[in-house]
């Protein structure tokens, strides 16, 4: 009689093991929570330190900004300007009292001075904390040799100079007791915009250091202040918080420590990077923040830093971390021991199963498994034996299929290789530049023509984004996206290294999926320049023909109309003389003569434009002529509520031209700008030269010229003004061209118009 085998469920054994091993995931979850809790504590601590430092740096920046405002306020004092103009002793006394009151209001200002353009102290007030005094004239010094005077007097109006922090020097020697100061200065200009010296405030350096010290009260950290070169201005450990500030301008600079002696180069670089940050290095935590002095020309700055011992900050967190690590380690160890025991008990029958399976896996499909575990594993072995039989049958079929597939692959490989070689030959010989990119726009191939046009080697572009071949890559990327969506080639024009490229882009697709793109381009720079030159020449010829035709017409009109007008005027004047006209008759005759005179004036302007005028060329100063024009026009502009700002961008050389005609051009352009500028508007005039030409630009803040009429503004009789003749710009255009120059216009509706006159030197 056959005995039925009894099976014990493997699921029960697995369930028992998983229940015991549940401790492990719980331990992992606990450790995970501990880790991120500690991480959050650390991050929060570092953030608080960084915020404390940046807040203090921001407070010091605001304080420095206030000093800038004080310096600018004093430089614009009406009393100061009046003293500069009159040198009146009464005015001087009043200004001394203003400085004295200002010094009393801000006792942390050591000195407030006005130094004239020759470097002589004119007014000086010193503050010693408990007392403030005006320095007598006999004790005033000449500071023309001091670096801060030489530097600050060169600054433009409205800009403040900030000196390094160094010791105050009196009568050529370092003042004792030592006083570290920072100087804030701005130039002073009189009503004619002539530099008349500087206003300068000496700030006690100890006041800034005291503000820095407040952040470290009752804490074990170190604070220090360095300049943009990394030199210590103050350090709570090395120099304390007294007047021991240093800089290159004092003897102490040779013996002062530098950041590079205390910190690694990368940390020094970060501290001096003008950025807010915090770093952990070895046993220290370094938090830093820039302090911008406000000197926008020298761009100098300070860096404020707070250094804590790492142990002081992280010791409580590390104790908390250690306790939980011990608990976690104990839990994991227990789980491992239990897991090993259960795995050993479960894997004994599996070891026999694996040995038999290895034989079948090595290709012996005739081998059969012999497992007697009385559980699911034995059932699995029976099914595995059945599978081995079927695999033996399928292996024979696979071997046959593999041979057929191998032959087909070899055939297709030869065909693809032939096509690849043929395509590479075509691309290499093509005169157009060709770049092939993958779906991520990375270059995979570039032909020799593309290398020549772009001036790059394939090793420098293959594998990189091909959009960098364009000055505006976002435009080309937009075109590529359009091509992908439309399935049609897209053409555009782009600029690369001063070359104008005609570009065609087409996608490489397979089964409606984009696999990259191909860009084909050619250099059309010469063609473009030729087209532009031809357009410019045609425009000049057209303008010349119009002016020539108008000259003939105007000459005839002036003759035919001028003679009858002269006769009318003579007749009316004779009637007045012989008939003794009165009343309405007198008023009508005067009206006739007025209208005749007005029409004669128009005919003279018309004739002057029509016939060539004789030029009286001489060497002239264009800036002098411009200033003469501005002298007569400024009053009219002021009455209309228009401000005129003249700027010279460097020295302007003398030119050969007719002074009267150049005067007429400038008058016409500036009057046109005034007509276009509303009440409260502004006209800016700029002169500059590149050595070969001079340029005079007249820019207004009017409503601008509409695009549709800007091409006609130089045409005779074209005007948009109700009372204009339309000849002003035409005459200006003709004069400039007769002098071998150019006149250009740039206008934007709603913002204004700029006329540019270019004359050869």
């Amino acid at each position: 009689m056959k005995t039925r085998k009894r099976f014990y469920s493997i699921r029960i054994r697995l369930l028992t093991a998983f229940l015991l091993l549940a401790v492990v995931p719980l331990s992992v979850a606990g450790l995970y929570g501990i880790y991120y809790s500690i991480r959050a504590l650390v991050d929060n601590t570092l953030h608080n330190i960084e915020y404390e430092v940046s807040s203090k740096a921001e407070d010091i920046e605001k304080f420095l900004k206030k000093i800038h405002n004080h310096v600018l306020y004093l430089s614009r004092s009406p009393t100061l300007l009046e003293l500069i103009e009159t040198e009146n002793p009464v005015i001087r006394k009043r200004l001394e009292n203003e400085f004295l009151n200002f010094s009393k209001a801000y006792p942390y200002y050591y000195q407030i001075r006005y130094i004239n353009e020759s470097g002589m102290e004119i007014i000086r007030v010193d503050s010693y904390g408990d007392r403030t005094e005006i320095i007598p004239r006999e004790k005033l010094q000449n500071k023309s040799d001091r670096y801060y005077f030489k530097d600050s007097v060169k600054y433009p109006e409205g800009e403040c100079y900030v000196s390094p922090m160094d010791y105050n020097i009196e009568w050529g020697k370092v003042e004792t007791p030592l006083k570290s100061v920072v100087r804030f200065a701005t130039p002073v200009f009189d009503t004619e915009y002539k530099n008349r010296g500087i206003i300068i405030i000496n700030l006690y350096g100890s006041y800034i250091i005291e503000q820095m010290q407040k952040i470290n009260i009752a804490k074990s950290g170190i604070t220090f202040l360095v300049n943009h070169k990394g030199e210590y201005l103050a350090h709570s450990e090395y120099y304390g918080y007294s007047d021991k500030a240093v800089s290159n301008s004092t003897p102490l600079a040779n013996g002062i420590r530098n950041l590079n002696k205390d910190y690694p180069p990368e940390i020094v670089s970060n501290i001096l990077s003008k950025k807010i940050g915090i770093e952990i290095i070895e046993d220290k935590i370094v938090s830093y923040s820039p302090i911008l002095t406000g000197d926008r020309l020298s761009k100098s700055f300070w860096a404020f830093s707070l250094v804590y011992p790492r142990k002081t900050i992280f010791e409580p967190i590390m104790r908390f971390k250690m306790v939980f690590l011990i608990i976690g380690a104990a839990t994991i160890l227990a789980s491992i021991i239990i897991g090993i025991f259960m795995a050993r008990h479960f894997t004994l029958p599996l070891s026999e199963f694996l040995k038999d399976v290895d034989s079948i896996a090595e290709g012996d499909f005739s081998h059969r498994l012999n497992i007697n575990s009385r559980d699911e594993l034995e059932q699995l072995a029976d099914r595995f034996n059945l599978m081995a039989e079927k695999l033996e049958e399928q292996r024979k079929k696979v071997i046959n299929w593999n041979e057929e597939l191998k032959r087909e692959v070899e055939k297709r490989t030869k065909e693809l290789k032939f096509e690849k070689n043929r395509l590479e030959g075509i691309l290499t010989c093509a005169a157009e530049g060709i770049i092939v990119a993958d779906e991520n726009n990375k270059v995979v191939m570039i032909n020799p023509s593309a290398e020549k046009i772009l001036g790059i080697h394939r090793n420098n572009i293959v594998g990189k984004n091909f959009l960098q071949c364009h000055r505006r890559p976002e435009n080309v990327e937009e075109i590529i996206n359009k091509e992908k969506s439309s399935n049609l080639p897209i053409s555009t024009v782009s600029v690369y290294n001063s070359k104008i490229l005609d570009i065609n882009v087409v996608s490489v697709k397979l089964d409606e999926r984009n696999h990259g793109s191909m860009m084909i381009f050619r250099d059309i720079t010469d063609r473009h320049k030729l087209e532009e030159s031809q357009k410019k020449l045609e425009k000049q010829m057209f303008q010349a023909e119009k002016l020539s035709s108008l000259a003939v017409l105007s000459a005839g009109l002036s003759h035919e109309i001028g003679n009858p007008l002269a006769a009318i005027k003579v007749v009316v004047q004779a009637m007045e003389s012989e008939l003794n006209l009165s009343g309405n008759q007198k008023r009508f005759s005067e009206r006739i003569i007025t209208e005749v005179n007005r029409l004669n004036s128009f005919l003279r302007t018309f004739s002057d434009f029509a016939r060539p005028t004789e030029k009286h060329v001489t060497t002239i100063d264009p800036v002098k002529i411009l200033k003469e024009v501005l002298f007569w026009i400024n009053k009219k502009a002021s009455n209309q509520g228009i401000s005129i700002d003249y700027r010279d961008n460097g020295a302007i050389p003398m030119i050969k031209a007719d002074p009267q005609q150049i005067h007429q051009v400038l008058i016409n352009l500036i009057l046109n700008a005034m007509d276009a500028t509303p009440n409260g508007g502004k006209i800016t005039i700029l002169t500059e030269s590149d050595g070969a030409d001079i340029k005079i630009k007249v820019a207004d803040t009017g409503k601008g010229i509409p695009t549709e009429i800007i091409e006609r503004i130089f045409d005779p009789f074209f005007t948009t003004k109700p009372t204009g003749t339309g000849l002003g710009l035409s005459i200006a255009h003709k004069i400039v061209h007769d002098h071998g120059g150019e006149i250009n216009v740039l206008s934007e509706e709603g913002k204004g118009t700029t006329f540019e006159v270019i004359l050869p030197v």
Side-chain angles (χ1 to χ4, degrees):
M1 181 178 177
K2 187 177 179 180
T3 304
R4 185 177 180 183
K5 294 181 180 180
R6 184 177 179 184
F7 292 92
Y8 297 96
S9 174
I10 240 175
R11 183 171 18 176
I12 296 175
R13 299 180 186 179
L14 287 173
L15 182 59
T16 303
F18 286 154
L19 287 175
L20 293 174
L21 293 174
V23 179
V24 175
L26 289 176
S27 300
V28 172
L31 290 174
Y32 181 84
I34 294 168
Y35 172 79
Y36 278 97
S37 297
I38 293 174
R39 188 71 240 171
L41 288 173
V42 172
D43 290 344
N44 187 55
T45 302
L46 296 178
H47 175 74
N48 289 339
I49 295 173
E50 184 179 35
Y51 176 76
E52 188 175 5
V53 172
S54 62
S55 297
K56 177 55 64 177
E58 185 177 351
D59 292 341
I60 295 175
E61 276 193 15
K62 291 179 181 178
F63 174 71
L64 298 181
K65 178 63 177 178
K66 183 175 75 172
I67 301 175
H68 282 252
N69 293 335
H70 287 171
V71 172
L72 293 174
Y73 169 77
L74 292 176
S75 71
R76 296 163 181 165
S77 168
T79 307
L80 173 62
L81 298 179
E82 190 174 354
L83 176 63
I84 291 173
E85 297 293 337
T86 63
E87 299 184 358
N88 190 319
V90 177
I91 302 302
R92 176 190 178 90
K93 186 65 178 176
R94 189 197 312 164
L95 186 60
E96 287 178 341
N97 290 331
E98 287 184 10
F99 279 21
L100 182 66
N101 294 332
F102 201 85
S103 180
K104 290 179 179 179
Y106 304 100
Y108 40 77
Y109 291 162
Y110 174 37
Q111 294 178 352
I112 303 177
R113 295 176 288 171
Y114 165 54
I115 302 176
N116 67 13
E117 65 271 21
S118 63
M120 187 65 195
E121 293 178 335
I122 302 302
I123 296 178
R124 169 175 163 180
V125 175
D126 288 3
S127 173
Y128 303 97
D130 55 342
R131 62 187 178 88
T132 304
E133 65 177 6
I134 300 172
I135 303 303
R137 299 185 67 171
E138 60 270 13
K139 293 185 178 182
L140 297 179
Q141 307 170 44
N142 190 302
K143 300 292 184 177
S144 60
D145 61 336
R146 297 291 286 138
Y147 71 92
Y148 57 81
F149 175 77
K150 295 177 180 179
D151 292 341
S152 60
V153 78
K154 299 175 183 178
Y155 272 46
E157 184 179 10
E159 293 292 339
C160 278
Y161 163 81
V162 181
S163 78
M165 182 185 293
D166 57 18
Y167 292 141
N168 191 51
I169 294 180
E170 298 294 344
W171 302 104
K173 298 181 180 179
V174 177
E175 184 180 14
T176 55
L178 299 177
K179 294 183 180 68
S180 61
V181 296
V182 180
R183 303 169 185 85
F184 297 79
T186 188
V188 177
F189 296 89
D190 59 17
T191 55
E192 297 181 355
Y193 296 101
K194 181 180 179 182
N195 188 298
R196 301 302 296 271
I198 62 171
I199 287 291
I200 182 168
I201 292 178
N202 287 19
L203 170 70
Y204 278 110
S206 58
Y207 183 81
I208 296 178
I209 297 173
E210 289 170 4
Q211 300 302 312
M212 192 177 74
Q213 182 184 15
K214 293 178 181 179
I215 197 175
N216 202 36
I217 295 176
K219 295 182 180 178
S220 58
I222 297 171
T223 54
F224 61 80
L225 184 70
V226 296
N227 60 19
H228 65 282
K229 298 179 180 179
E231 299 168 339
Y232 287 112
L233 302 179
H235 195 294
S236 60
E237 187 175 84
Y238 299 139
Y239 312 114
Y241 286 107
S242 63
D243 280 325
K244 295 182 180 179
V246 295
S247 77
N248 287 334
S249 62
T250 70
L252 291 179
N254 295 328
I256 289 305
R257 297 175 67 94
N258 191 287
L259 276 178
N260 290 312
K261 296 182 179 180
D262 297 330
Y263 300 98
E266 60 273 13
I267 299 301
V268 174
S269 177
N270 291 338
I271 293 175
L272 301 180
S273 66
K274 299 176 73 174
K275 296 180 181 178
I276 299 172
I278 190 166
E279 304 284 348
I280 300 177
I281 52 171
E282 298 178 354
D283 59 343
K284 299 176 183 177
I285 297 175
V286 182
S287 180
Y288 49 87
S289 180
I291 299 177
L292 302 181
T293 63
D295 189 335
R296 293 185 293 184
L297 297 186
S298 71
K299 299 181 180 179
S300 63
F301 66 93
W302 303 333
F304 171 52
S305 187
L306 177 63
V307 182
Y308 278 111
R310 183 173 181 176
K311 183 179 179 181
T312 303
I313 299 298
F314 292 153
E315 187 173 5
I317 297 175
M318 294 305 296
R319 286 198 300 267
F320 174 78
K321 177 180 178 181
M322 187 58 65
V323 170
F324 279 94
L325 283 177
I326 293 172
I327 295 173
T331 304
I332 292 172
L333 181 60
S335 300
I336 291 174
I337 294 173
I338 295 172
I340 291 173
F341 174 77
M342 293 302 299
R344 182 176 179 79
H345 179 73
F346 175 69
T347 56
L348 285 175
L350 281 177
S351 298
E352 299 177 7
F353 182 84
L354 289 175
K355 291 178 183 179
D356 294 333
V357 170
D358 286 340
S359 298
I360 296 175
E362 291 173 359
D364 185 7
F365 293 106
S366 62
H367 186 81
R368 296 296 179 262
L369 303 180
N370 186 18
I371 301 296
N372 296 306
S373 60
R374 296 185 180 184
D375 55 20
E376 286 88 344
L377 194 58
E378 184 174 340
Q379 293 178 344
L380 178 61
D382 293 340
R383 288 171 174 75
F384 202 88
N385 289 332
L386 180 61
M387 182 183 66
E389 294 176 3
K390 295 186 177 296
L391 285 175
E392 179 70 22
E393 297 174 1
Q394 292 297 325
R395 183 177 65 169
K396 296 177 181 179
K397 294 181 181 180
V398 169
I399 292 174
N400 294 331
W401 292 342
N402 186 51
E403 292 296 329
E404 294 178 3
L405 182 60
K406 184 178 180 181
R407 290 192 293 269
E408 186 65 23
V409 168
E410 290 177 353
K411 178 182 177 182
R412 297 290 184 183
T413 301
K414 291 180 180 179
E415 293 176 355
L416 289 175
K417 186 175 181 180
F418 173 76
E419 291 295 332
K420 178 177 178 293
N421 293 336
R422 185 171 65 174
L423 178 60
E424 288 180 350
I426 294 173
L427 295 180
T428 301
C429 297
E432 291 81 4
I434 300 174
I435 296 178
V436 180
D438 60 17
E439 61 271 19
N440 297 318
N441 293 330
K442 303 293 184 182
V443 175
V444 296
M445 196 280 290
I446 178 172
N447 73 339
S449 295
E451 292 182 66
K452 180 179 179 181
I453 293 174
L454 300 179
I456 57 177
H457 193 272
R458 64 178 65 248
N459 295 337
N460 297 329
I461 189 65
V462 172
K464 298 180 181 178
N465 195 312
F466 83 96
L467 296 179
Q468 70 184 47
C469 298
H470 306 276
R471 185 171 61 183
R472 295 183 177 177
E474 65 278 4
N475 293 348
V476 179
E477 187 173 16
E478 180 182 355
I479 291 171
I480 292 175
N481 293 332
K482 287 182 179 179
E483 195 279 335
K484 290 178 181 178
S485 59
S486 65
N487 294 323
L488 294 174
I490 299 296
S491 298
T492 186
V493 175
S494 183
V495 178
Y496 179 79
N497 285 347
S498 302
K499 292 183 179 180
I500 302 174
L501 306 180
D502 182 14
I503 301 172
N504 291 276
V505 180
V506 63
S507 290
V508 179
K509 296 186 177 182
L510 181 63
D511 297 331
E512 300 301 324
R513 181 174 176 270
N514 181 55
H515 287 270
S517 58
M518 179 183 295
M519 182 172 65
I520 305 171
F521 54 90
R522 59 182 61 86
D523 186 356
I524 60 170
T525 305
D526 294 338
R527 189 181 74 185
H528 181 78
K529 290 181 179 178
L530 182 61
E531 291 175 352
E532 290 296 322
S533 300
Q534 185 175 358
K535 289 179 182 178
K536 185 175 181 180
L537 180 60
E538 290 176 352
K539 183 177 179 180
Q540 292 176 347
M541 291 178 63
F542 179 71
Q543 185 72 10
E545 290 175 359
K546 287 198 300 182
L547 293 177
S548 176
S549 300
L550 185 61
V552 175
L553 175 63
S554 60
L557 287 176
S558 298
H559 176 74
E560 294 299 328
I561 297 176
N563 291 339
L565 285 178
I568 292 172
K569 184 175 181 179
V570 169
V571 170
V572 172
Q573 288 176 338
M575 290 174 60
E576 287 182 345
S577 175
E578 295 179 5
L579 300 179
N580 289 327
L581 301 178
S582 62
N584 288 337
Q585 293 176 341
K586 178 69 173 177
R587 190 169 67 256
F588 291 155
S589 66
E590 291 175 350
R591 179 68 179 272
I592 291 172
I593 293 175
T594 298
E595 292 302 317
V596 169
N597 289 337
R598 185 182 66 83
L599 191 53
N600 272 329
S601 176
F602 171 76
L603 287 175
R604 282 195 300 273
T605 302
F606 191 30
S607 297
D608 290 342
F609 172 75
R611 67 172 179 270
T613 58
E614 183 180 355
K615 290 191 298 184
H616 300 283
V617 178
T618 183
T619 301
I620 65 169
D621 182 356
V623 175
K624 181 179 179 181
I625 294 178
L626 177 58
K627 288 183 177 180
E628 291 175 356
V629 171
L630 292 178
F631 177 80
W632 296 107
I633 286 183
N634 269 328
K635 180 64 177 178
K636 181 178 180 181
S638 178
N639 293 337
Q640 295 181 210
I642 298 172
S643 64
I644 298 180
D645 181 17
Y646 168 61
R647 305 173 186 174
D648 58 335
N649 192 4
I652 304 300
M654 307 288 278
I655 64 172
K656 291 188 177 296
D658 186 325
Q660 295 302 322
Q661 291 188 0
I662 299 302
H663 187 280
Q664 183 178 2
V665 169
L666 296 176
I667 282 284
N668 286 354
L669 293 180
I670 297 175
L671 289 178
N672 270 358
M674 290 174 58
D675 291 340
T677 303
N679 194 332
K682 181 179 180 181
I683 296 175
T684 302
I685 301 174
L686 174 66
T687 57
E688 59 185 8
S689 174
D690 59 2
D693 301 301
I694 68 163
K695 295 181 181 179
I696 303 175
K697 297 181 179 180
V698 180
D700 62 59
T701 57
K703 62 181 180 180
I705 303 173
T707 305
E708 59 270 14
I709 68 171
I710 197 166
E711 294 292 334
R712 303 172 55 197
I713 60 173
F714 294 115
D715 291 349
F717 306 111
F718 178 80
T719 181
T720 58
K721 295 183 289 186
T723 59
T725 63
L727 291 175
L729 287 178
S730 298
I731 293 173
H733 184 275
K734 184 174 182 295
I735 291 173
V736 172
H737 273 269
D738 287 346
H739 281 76
E742 296 180 16
I743 182 168
N744 302 316
V745 61
L746 178 65
S747 182
E748 186 174 353
E749 292 191 64
K751 293 188 177 181
T753 303
T754 299
F755 282 89
E756 179 186 57
V757 176
I758 303 175
L759 294 170
V761 175

